[in-house]
Amino acid sequence: MAVQKPTFKPYYQDQIMAIPPTLNKLVGKGHPVRIVNDVINRINIQSLLDAYKIKGCSNYHPQMLLKVLVYGYVSNVYSSRKLEIACKENINFMWLSGMSYPDHNTINRFRGVRLKEALRSVFEEVVKLLAAEGLLSLEEVYTDGTKIEANANKYTFVWKKAIQTNKEKMKKALSEIWEYAQSVAKTEDSLPEPPDFTDIDTKKVQQTVDTLNAVLAEKTEVNKKVRAKLRYVSKEYPKKIAEYEQKEAILGNRNSFSKTDTDATFMRMKEDHMQNGKLKPGYNVQISTSNQFIVNYTIHPNPTDTTTFRPT
């Protein structure tokens, strides 16, 4: 009795095709990659083209890089190295790129430099296209916000209140030394009235320190503790007040920022599964939608929605 064997379909790995299939035929007709391709082909990307210099060597076409980047986000591929590999191995990416192989540095430079200033304009062009197609209405728009945690260190923070407290301590110390200098100064020293320490800055602190050093430098009867305190103040206060001014400039109207992401503000996030509503560095993102399409987005450093709705 003959032993039956399983039947397999022909398998010829090295078979040569007389007419090889094109990438276009290998991409499904209703595949999302075709939608990305069609939309970007139809929008105006002049703002993106303007980001390139006339001189220099040739660049990969920004339209191609934009398609690769957008489809990568649609496919949950965000890493520049993975996008580089996809352009060499994934049929959909290879079709989009026209068999171009941008490396991860090129993709990162495009995303972080070229596209950075043009992203808003590209987004608006897509919204206009959707509106022209009747897929959304700009007359009825719904807005909601959420707080998104920043990718920043949770423990390297700067608080406006802490700066104000430290500045008050500096004012008090300078005032005390000035009062002491007045008590030991002779008539010929002609020490003026104490400066107005209501608001101090680098220039005022430096002038105060210089004056105090000039008056007390040759006084042999100066209290040792006061002299040590003056040495510390002379060395530390000018650079400290300069540091505080720099931090206050970054803070603006905010109450805090993260040292590792100065645009991020510490906000109370939604409670996690452990019921811990903690202050974390983040952003207040407002998103407006119409017919489930995003038509507008704004990012704010302030935690309350009452101050973000009108600008949005």
Side-chain angles (χ1 to χ4, degrees), residues 196-212:
D196 180 11
F197 290 128
T198 304
D199 188 22
I200 59 174
D201 54 28
T202 305
K203 184 178 180 181
K204 184 178 290 187
V205 168
Q206 189 63 59
Q207 288 176 344
T208 303
V209 167
D210 292 342
T211 303
L212 291 171

Side-chain angles (χ1 to χ4, degrees), residues 127-178:
V127 173
K128 291 175 184 177
L129 176 63
L130 294 172
E133 293 289 329
L135 295 172
L136 57 85
S137 169
L138 298 181
E139 295 178 1
E140 293 182 358
V141 176
Y142 302 90
T143 302
D144 194 9
T146 188
K147 295 171 186 173
I148 297 179
E149 185 176 349
N151 184 18
N153 193 314
K154 302 178 183 64
Y155 307 105
T156 56
F157 40 74
V158 174
W159 294 94
K160 178 182 285 187
K161 190 173 182 180
I163 293 175
Q164 293 171 344
T165 300
N166 290 335
K167 288 175 73 174
E168 289 300 322
K169 291 180 180 178
M170 293 172 69
K171 293 177 187 179
K172 183 179 179 182
L174 290 170
S175 297
E176 289 175 351
I177 298 175
W178 193 280

